[in-house]
């Protein structure tokens, strides 16, 4: 039982959880959390060069349906893919929504292929006692205890798999008021009566209980647009400053997979930049701030927890983007001076996933029959459709459009297109 109000008033740092288990929270030095709304960092677009991509002449680079501009015409943008960025926030929120939708649907499809019906997704709002939540959201350790309690409680009440998004504020007329609560998207029937009996002072409510969620991705994206972005303060003594500086100068030493980018090579051609040991352009204030804080994350729990679903392999597709209205191949024009343009070519990776308990078995079978599959002209996605323990994202029924799938790789190397996709967004 959470006898909250009297305990908070008495200044106690220990509360009774379910089954009488004690739950303590004590501020930890250098673990305080700064909460912000998305799109709050007004410096970021300039620092990260976000916004419209321009040609050398200064014109905006754009993608268009060459025969019918009224069908499709959109300027291309460079993104940093951060919710902190006012320029990139909306597109980043939608990207988060797509990721959440995929994880939830993969779980549902894997269960269905094994004969288990998990039902529909439900959207719930859970509000802890406000004085308790306002205390515990101040430090990372305390907030983690609170959020884990919410996730464990949902599992115990009938939730099977889901994602939890924290909102520190509620909108009251034209103002945002501090009112900590959690949004939960999950499978399973929750026993709310038992919840209220075991957690006095808490509130639980299902959003639109008589309606089906029409789009998981758009619901999750909307929740991301005003979720709490928590930056956790770290002690300077816990930062390896020498290693971080070395990793900046030579990407990949600490951060796996990091490489020099196009901007680095452009600066090298001008005799400056980190590739030639030049640090004159460094924003040392920003660089230091980035290492003294770490971000809180959206939590996946139950059947969709990060350790419950494993990646078996990837089916890579090479595509050309077409107009969804008339089927004409879209072209990208390097500004107003480019009358010809280029086809919009891109790479799309389709993950093949399985539950962790089946991963080794599936991997062994795939490796054994991989050569046979190739000789039959079958892809990894084809293999996935034939087994009850794996699922390809092609099986989820997600929107795929009418883009042309090529028979093999483009003439340019994969890295060329993957780099372009990271730098530019052309939906």
């Amino acid at each position: 039982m959470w006898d909250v109000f009297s305990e908070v008033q008495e200044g106690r740092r220990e509360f009774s959880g379910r089954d009488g288990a004690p739950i303590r929270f004590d501020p930890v030095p250098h673990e305080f959390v700064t909460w912000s709304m998305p799109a709050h960092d007004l410096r970021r677009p300039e620092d990260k060069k976000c916004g419209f991509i321009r040609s050398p002449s200064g014109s905006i680079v754009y993608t268009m349906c060459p025969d019918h501009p009224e069908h499709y015409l959109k300027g291309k943008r460079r993104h940093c893919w951060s919710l902190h960025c006012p320029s990139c926030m909306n597109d980043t929120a939608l990207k988060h929504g797509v990721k959440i939708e995929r994880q939830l649907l993969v779980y549902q499809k894997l269960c269905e292929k094994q004969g288990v019906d998990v039902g529909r997704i439900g959207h719930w709002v859970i509000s802890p006692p406000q004085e308790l939540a306002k205390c515990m959201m101040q430090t990372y350790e305390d907030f983690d205890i609170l959020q884990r309690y919410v996730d464990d409680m949902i599992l115990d009440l009938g939730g099977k798999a889901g994602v939890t998004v924290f909102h520190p504020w509620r909108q009251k007329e034209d103002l945002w008021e501090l009112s900590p609560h959690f949004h939960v998207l999950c499978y399973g029937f929750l026993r709310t009566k038992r919840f209220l009996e075991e957690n006095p002072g808490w509130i639980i409510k299902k959003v639109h209980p008589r309606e089906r969620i029409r789009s998981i991705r758009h619901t999750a994206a909307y929740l991301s647009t005003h979720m709490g972005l928590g930056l956790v303060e770290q002690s300077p003594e816990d930062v390896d400053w020498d290693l971080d500086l070395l990793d900046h100068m030579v990407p990949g030493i600490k951060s796996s997979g990091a490489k020099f980018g196009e901007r680095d090579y452009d600066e090298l051609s001008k005799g400056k930049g980190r590739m030639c040991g030049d640090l004159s352009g460094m924003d040392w204030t920003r660089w230091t701030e980035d290492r003294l804080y770490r971000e809180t994350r959206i939590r996946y729990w139950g059947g969709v927890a990060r350790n419950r679903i494993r990646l078996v392999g990837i089916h890579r597709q090479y595509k050309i983007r077409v107009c969804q209205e008339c089927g004409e191949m879209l072209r990208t024009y390097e500004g107003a001076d480019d009358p010809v343009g280029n086809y919009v070519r891109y790479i799309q990776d389709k993950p093949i996933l399985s539950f962790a308990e089946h991963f080794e078995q599936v991997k062994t079978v795939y490796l054994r029959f991989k050569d046979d599959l190739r000789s039959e002209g079958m892809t990894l996605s084809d293999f996935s459709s034939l087994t009850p323990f794996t699922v390809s994202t092609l099986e989820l029924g997600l929107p795929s459009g009418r883009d042309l799938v090529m028979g093999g790789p483009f003439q340019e190397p994969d890295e060329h297109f993957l780099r372009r996709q990271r730098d530019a967004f052309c939906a």
Side-chain angles (χ1 to χ4, degrees):
M1 303 289 286
W2 287 62
D3 189 7
V4 174
F5 299 106
S6 61
E7 293 179 345
V8 170
Q9 291 171 359
E10 293 170 9
R12 293 176 57 183
R13 310 300 293 177
E14 182 174 306
F15 299 91
S16 298
R18 287 180 291 119
D19 303 324
I23 297 177
R24 289 188 54 80
F25 66 98
D26 296 290
V28 178
H30 305 294
E31 288 285 317
F32 291 102
V33 185
T34 300
W35 294 101
S36 304
M37 288 283 282
H40 69 95
D41 190 347
L42 302 182
R43 293 167 46 196
R44 192 175 182 92
E46 183 177 354
D47 292 347
K48 299 296 183 179
K49 311 301 181 185
C50 304
F52 287 111
I53 299 174
R54 295 183 178 273
S55 66
S57 65
S59 300
I60 292 176
V61 177
Y62 62 94
T63 300
M64 183 180 73
C65 175
D67 290 345
H68 305 280
E70 68 277 7
H71 287 174
Y72 190 95
L73 175 60
K74 190 172 184 178
K76 295 189 69 173
R77 300 175 63 90
R78 180 176 289 108
H79 286 66
C80 67
W81 297 116
S82 171
L83 287 173
H84 296 267
C85 178
S87 178
C88 303
M89 185 271 289
N90 287 325
D91 289 323
T92 305
L94 184 56
K95 189 176 183 179
H96 284 195
V98 171
K99 180 181 177 181
I100 290 171
E101 178 184 52
R102 190 188 75 180
Q103 190 81 346
L104 291 170
L105 291 182
V106 163
Y107 168 79
Q108 182 186 40
K109 191 67 175 181
L110 283 171
C111 289
E112 286 179 356
K113 293 181 78 170
Q114 295 167 42
V116 178
D117 182 11
V118 296
R120 296 177 179 177
I121 287 281
H123 179 189
W124 301 81
V125 180
I126 299 175
S127 300
Q130 293 298 280
E131 293 302 321
L132 171 69
K134 290 175 183 178
C135 286
M136 298 191 74
M137 67 182 285
Q138 295 181 46
T139 64
Y140 177 74
E141 184 178 3
D142 299 340
F143 175 71
D144 187 59
I145 291 172
L146 179 63
Q147 193 164 27
R148 287 181 184 276
Y149 179 81
V150 171
D151 296 344
D152 292 344
M153 181 172 53
I154 295 297
L155 277 168
D156 190 53
L157 293 172
K160 299 175 181 178
V163 60
T164 304
V165 181
F166 178 60
H167 283 186
W169 301 277
R170 281 188 172 93
Q171 190 169 20
K172 299 292 181 68
E173 298 179 353
D174 296 332
L175 300 174
W176 288 94
E177 180 180 279
L178 183 62
S179 181
H181 60 283
F182 296 89
H183 285 261
V184 177
L185 297 176
C186 71
Y187 294 102
F189 176 79
L190 303 188
R191 296 183 288 275
T192 55
K193 184 176 180 180
R194 178 185 158 196
F195 172 91
L196 296 173
E197 290 174 351
E198 295 184 356
N199 298 278
W202 289 63
I203 298 173
I204 183 169
K205 181 177 68 172
K206 189 172 186 181
V207 179
H208 305 304
R210 295 179 177 83
E211 298 180 14
R212 181 177 182 176
I213 295 179
R214 297 180 182 180
S215 171
I216 299 174
R217 68 173 58 184
H218 288 101
T219 300
Y222 171 71
L223 295 178
S224 298
T225 60
H226 52 290
M227 67 180 287
L229 302 180
L231 291 178
V232 184
E233 179 184 340
Q234 294 193 125
S235 170
E237 289 79 12
D238 295 335
V239 179
D240 190 334
W241 299 99
D242 293 335
L243 180 61
D244 281 1
L245 180 58
L246 186 60
D247 184 59
H248 170 77
M249 301 300 295
V250 186
I253 290 180
K254 176 183 176 183
S255 48
S256 178
K259 299 178 181 179
F260 289 113
E262 286 186 67
R263 183 179 178 184
D264 293 306
Y265 288 102
D266 289 341
E267 290 182 339
L268 178 62
S269 66
K270 301 173 184 177
K272 59 181 184 179
R274 58 179 175 174
M275 293 186 74
C276 57
D278 174 32
L279 295 175
S280 60
M282 279 284 289
D283 184 344
W284 291 106
T285 301
R286 169 72 75 172
W287 185 84
T288 304
E289 288 176 352
D290 289 344
R291 278 142 191 85
L292 291 176
Y293 291 92
R294 68 179 188 274
E295 291 191 43
T296 58
R297 303 168 66 182
I298 292 176
R299 294 179 67 98
Y300 294 82
W301 49 267
V304 295
R306 301 180 189 277
N307 62 343
R308 292 293 305 278
I309 296 178
R310 297 281 302 275
L311 177 68
V312 177
I314 289 176
H315 173 202
R316 174 160 287 184
Q317 292 183 326
Y318 298 84
K319 292 187 173 184
I320 294 180
R321 183 150 290 163
V322 302
C323 176
Q324 302 302 304
E325 297 288 336
C326 64
E328 184 68 27
M329 287 186 283
L330 300 179
R331 287 178 177 267
T332 294
Y333 299 87
E334 299 293 325
D337 299 332
D338 180 8
V340 179
N342 294 297
Y343 294 125
V344 182
R345 296 172 289 175
Y346 67 101
I347 294 172
Q348 194 169 58
D349 289 335
K350 300 293 185 179
I352 314 299
L353 303 142
S354 74
F355 285 133
E357 57 264 31
H358 301 138
F359 174 76
E360 294 298 336
Q361 177 185 359
V362 168
K363 196 74 173 179
T364 300
V365 172
Y366 171 65
L367 292 175
R368 180 180 178 183
F369 293 101
K370 182 169 64 173
D371 293 338
D372 295 335
L373 292 171
R374 287 179 177 174
S375 64
E376 295 292 332
M378 298 177 66
T379 66
L380 187 54
S381 291
D382 296 325
F383 165 78
S384 175
S385 66
L386 298 175
T387 68
F389 301 122
T390 58
V391 63
S392 165
T393 51
L394 289 171
E395 302 176 64
L396 302 180
L398 298 173
S400 58
R402 301 165 58 188
D403 292 348
L404 301 178
V405 181
M406 309 303 292
F410 304 122
Q411 291 182 352
E412 294 88 343
D414 290 357
E415 290 78 8
H416 172 75
F417 291 95
L418 293 173
R419 185 172 63 249
R420 279 175 42 185
Q421 287 173 204
R422 285 193 297 267
D423 290 344
F425 176 76
C426 49

